[in-house]
Amino acid sequence: MRDINLPLFAWQPPCKIVAFPMTARVGKIRDVARKLASKTTDRHADHYVSLITEGLQIQLSKVGIPEHDQDEQIGAFWSAVNQEVARLSCRGTGNNPRGAA
């Protein structure tokens, strides 16, 4: 049998790395929200946010996620964290966000 060298057999489809959605990392979101809510000053909160953001950027860069996708994922992550902080603050004050009924 002859060894046929056809370019079609050597072709590899381009691969795209798809990160696990940051908004689906519920445990991480809750942990960060709890710690962020416990910060007593804006300076401490800002520093904590920058540390977490930097860590997420490093993590996503290591697996090859493009920078524009990183920004989108990290933005969605912080949006989910802010929602969790709001939920925690409502729960802590005894307010029921579902209403009185």
Side-chain angles (χ1 to χ4, degrees):
M1 185 172 250
R2 292 189 315 180
D3 182 25
I4 300 176
N5 230 355
L6 296 175
L8 180 61
F9 295 124
W11 179 77
Q12 293 289 326
C15 62
K16 180 179 179 186
I17 297 173
V18 178
F20 187 75
M22 296 297 260
T23 55
R25 297 180 179 187
V26 178
K28 177 83 171 167
I29 290 168
R30 288 181 179 164
D31 182 54
V32 169
R34 204 170 29 253
K35 290 177 182 175
L36 185 60
S38 73
K39 301 300 178 196
T40 55
T41 66
D42 287 342
R43 185 176 173 195
H44 287 139
D46 290 342
H47 180 68
Y48 183 67
V49 167
S50 66
L51 287 176
I52 296 299
T53 301
E54 183 179 335
L56 293 173
Q57 287 171 332
I58 290 170
Q59 182 183 27
L60 293 173
S61 291
K62 281 184 180 179
V63 296
I65 304 297
E67 192 171 325
H68 65 278
D69 289 340
Q70 289 179 29
D71 293 342
E72 186 178 313
Q73 287 288 323
I74 292 171
F77 173 81
W78 283 114
S79 177
V81 168
N82 288 333
Q83 290 174 359
E84 182 66 14
V85 168
R87 189 186 69 80
L88 289 172
S89 66
C90 284
R91 197 169 109 196
T93 60
N95 293 336
N96 186 350
R98 295 183 186 158

